[in-house]
Amino acid sequence: MKRFQKIIAMALAATLAVPGSVLSTFASARVEEGKSFFTSFENDEEWSDNFKANTLEVVDGKGKAQNVSSTTADRLVGDITSLVELSSIQGSENHNNNETKEKLFDNNSGTKFLAKQSASVENPVWVSFQIQEPKAVKAYSIVSANDAEARDPVDWTFSGSNDGTTWTELDSQTGVRFNSRYESKTFTFENDTAYAYYKINITKNNGDSGMVQFADLNIATLDETDDDINLTVMGTTIESGPASVHDAASNKGWTGDKALKVTGYHKGEGEAYAYNVIYDGLNIPVTENTQLSYTIFPEWTTGSYDFEYTSTYIAVDLGFSDGTYLSDLNAVDQNGNVVSPMEQGLSKTLTTKQWNKISTYIASGEDTIGKTITKVLVGYHKPSNPTGADDAFTADIDDIRIEEVPQVEHEHLSDYVYTLRGTNDGTSYSRGLVCPGTTMPHGFNFWAPVTRAGDNKMYNYQLSRDGNTLKHLTISHQASYWTGERGTYEFMANSSFDPATVTSIGTGVRGAAFTHENEIAKAHHYSVTFNEDDEKAGGVTMEVTPTEHAAVLRFTFPENAPYCNILLDSDRASGSTTFGEDGKSFTAYSDHNSNGMQRMYVYGEFSQPFTTGRSIGKGGIASFEKASSGETVIEMKVATSFISIEQAKKNLQQEIAEDEGFDEIFAKAQKTWDDQLGIIEIEGATPDQMTSFYSGMYRLFMYPNMLSEQTGEGSEDGWQYRSPYGSHEVKDGVMYYNNGFWDTYRTTWAAYSLFTPSKDIEMLNGLVEHYNDQGWVPRWIAPGGTNSMVGTSSDVIFGDAAKKGLDFEVENAFWSSIKNASVVSNNLTNGGRNDLTRSIFNGYTSLDIGEGFSWSMEGYINDFGIYQMAKALGYADEEQYYLNRAQNYVNLFNDEIGWFMGRDVNGAFRTSSDDFNPGIWWGDYTETNAFNMAFTVPQDGQGLANLYGGREKLAERLDGLFNASRIWFRTAPSMRWWRPAT
C-alpha cells in the first residue's frame, strides 16, 4: 500500500543569607579527572564515604536558601537538640526500621517515630536520651506526624536525670490535641538543674489501639548563647525509600534498599528555594555526550490531595568549577522540560507516588561543553505557595548517574521499539499493565519475560519487587491483565542444576538475577544476560526471535558454566513434557484454558542432541555437552498449535526451514517489523520520542491476534482453527481474537483502516467469523466471549468499515449487528445487549441495570454503525430505523441542569440539581463520569450542540472542561463542579 511518509513532525519544545546548616563550599576532596559518576546510595559504593547529609550550598558566603525550613517545630531560643547523643537513645520498640526514635531529633518533620504499641499508664511509650554535656532544659516542642491523628500523644510527662535511672519530673501534660498534621506545640517549665539525661513518657494517645507517633522532639535552654547555628534548612539524608506507594516496592530505593530522602517546608506564600550539596570532589569534563540521569519519587505529604504538587518542585542539580549551576543553564530533559527544580514542577510531568526517570544531555544547556562538573546537588524551588501554609515537600531520589552516552540514530525502526514500556505499574496505578511480548504483527503467540510467576502482571520493571530475578520466558496469549492469561508454557536457562539428580525446577528455585542494562526488549527480539555472579545462570544469555506460529530461542553458556541446561515447564496449568527418542526434540501440552481456549500443544527441536532429557513434574530438563572451549551455544526451534502436536510440528516446518537458525529468523522478523512500522516516518524527533512513537505503533499492531493455523485442509485456503465455542471442534476459516471493542473502536480500528486496509479487511472478516461460528460477535473476545465492558461495539467497527467502502463480509457483519441490537440474549458473555426487553421501547437502558447509562450511550453509537451498514447494503427500512434509534441520546439529557444522566424504568432522572455532582465516578457510568459523557455523541455533533444551545454554547462547555484546573471525584456539599483555571 502507499506509504504514509513524513506525516508527523516532532520537535523538542523544548539569595538570602540564612544561619546555615552544615555549609558547603567548592573545596574538593577528590580531584582526579573522571568521566562518570554513579550512586544508588547503598553501602560500599565508590562514593559512599563522600556523601554529605543536610549540607546547604553556599554562594559568596551565604546559604543558597530562602523561605525553606526542615521542620515545622517552633524555633526555640537556646535549641540544643543537636547535642543529643543518638547512640544513647532508648525506649519503646520501633514499628519498623525506617520510622525510628532517632528521627525525633533529626530536625526534620518529614520523618517520625512510630511506636509498635499503644500508650497507657501501665504500658507507656517512652523515649530517653543523653546530651553531650549537662544542660538545664527549660522548654521542649513536639510536632505531630504526617498522618493518623489517632496516634498523636495526648498525656505525657517530661523528666530529667543525671544517671539515666533516677528521674525527676519536670513537666506534665494532659488532654493535648494537635489540630493539624505537622503542628508544633511548645511547652516551657521552671528548671535550673543541668541534667545529662531526659525522657518523655507517654501514657495516652488520641485513640489508636496499636500505635503512637510524633515527628519531632526538640529541647532548649532558653539561653540564646546555646542557640544551635547548625540547624538543618532542608533535609537530605539516606533513608529506606518511600513507604507509601501506588505500585512500587515500599521502603526501598528504585534499585537496592536505600534512596536519598529530600524533605522540608515551604514557609509562607512567597518564593522559596533551597539547594543542598550531596557530593563534591567530582572532576568530570562535559562533552556533547555527557548525560545526567536519575529517578525521583515525589511523595504525598498529607492525607489530602496536594493540588499544588509541591513535592514535584525538586530536581538534581550540578555545580561546575566556574561557579555556575546546571539549573541556571536551561538544559532540557527527555520530555523537553528544563532541568531545574522550578521548571520540573511547573511542567506537571512528574507523577506523584511513583518513580519517574529524568535524563538530560548536559550539552543541551547554555555554553556547557567544556565545563567541569565538581558537585552534585539537590534543590527545591517553587515560585509561590498559594495556600500560605507551611506546605511540606518530600521526594526520594535514586540512581544518580553521570556518564558518556552517545546519541544513536538506529538504522532499523524496529530498534526504537521498547516492549517493556507500560510494565512499571500495577493494579493500583496502571501504565498499561501490558504483556511485554516479542511477537509478529497480529501473531499467533507472544514470547514474554516473566519476573512475577503465576500472575497476569507477569513483569515488573522495578526488579526489586520480584527479587531482581527473571523466572522464565513464557508463551503468552494475554490480551489484557483484566481478561486473564491462557495458553502458557515456559522456558528457562540454567547452569547450576545437576541434570541427573535435580528433582525441582520450579519458579521458586530457578529464578536468575539480571539488570535492565543487560536486557534487550524489542518486538522482534528479546535477550537477557544474567548477572555473572548469579548462582542459577551466571553469565548465561537467553534470547528469542519469533515467526507467526513459532520461534527460535538461543541459549549461550559461558565457558565456566558447570552445566548447560534448558528447563521446560507448564507453570500455570496442568501439562506434560516428553522428550523425543531422537534425542533432539520434545513434545508438550498445557491446559491453561479459559474463555474457550483449549489445550495448547508444543513441539520443539534442539540444534544438537541432549545428553540428558528428563521429565520432571509437568516440565523437564534438557542438558547438553559443553563445547571443548569457549561458549556453548544451543538453539531451540519451538512452535505451538491448538489443534494437535502434529499440527504444531507442521507449523514449525512451514515457518522455519531446516537450514534456518536464530540469525535467519531474526533478520526476517526484524524486516517484517521494519516494514510494518515504516508505514509512518517522522522527522525532527529525539531518540526518546522515536522510542515513544514506535513503541506505540508496536502496541497497535500487536493485536488482534490470529487463532487459525495452516492445516492444508478445509475450504478456506487450508486455514482452520480450534473453535472457542460449543464443543470446540476444528473449523474452517480465519478467526481473529484478543480485542475488547469498547476500548478499540474509537482508536485502533480506525487506524487499521487507514494504515493497513488490506490487513484490516482480513481482520474484520476474522471478527465476523465469530458470528459464523456461534451466531454472535461478543463485545470482548479472548478468544471466546468475555463478560466485560458495555456496548456491542463491533457494530460501529463494522459500520465504520462499510462507510469507508472496505470490501469485507459486510452482509454477515450487518446481520450480526442486527442480532445484537434486536434479539434478547440469554448469555451476554457471548453476545447481545443488556435490557433489550425494555430498552427498545423505552429508548434507553434503565438505571436498575449496572452501568445502564453507558449501555445506552454506547448503544446509540452502535445503532449509528448499523445505519451505516444498512445504507451501504441498500436496506432502506433498517437504515431509517437505526438512524432514528441513534438519536435517542436526547432521552438522557436532563435539560433542567444541562447534563446527561441515567433514567429509571419509569422515566425519572437519576438525581436532581440539588445533589447532582458530575465528578462522581462509576455508578451508571462505565469507568468515567458525567464530565466525559457530556460529549459522547460522535454520531450527531450538531444535535449535541443543539442540546447545549448551539455551537458556541457547546464550545463554551468544552472550554469549561479543558480549562478546569481540578475536577472533583468525590461527593461533598461544598465542592463545585469545577474551578476555572487562574
Side-chain angles (χ1 to χ4, degrees), residues 456 485-488 490 570 572-574 590-594 597-600:
N456 293 343
E485 176 68 286
R486 53 199 62 86
T488 58
E490 293 79 32
S570 178
R572 297 194 63 180
S574 60
S590 167
D591 286 332
H592 192 181
N593 308 333
S594 65
M597 182 166 280
Q598 299 302 294
R599 172 173 291 183
M600 182 180 73

Side-chain angles (χ1 to χ4, degrees), residues 274-289:
Y275 289 80
N276 281 10
V277 62
I278 56 174
Y279 293 97
D280 63 9
L282 284 71
N283 188 14
I284 302 176
V286 176
T287 73
E288 63 179 355
N289 293 323

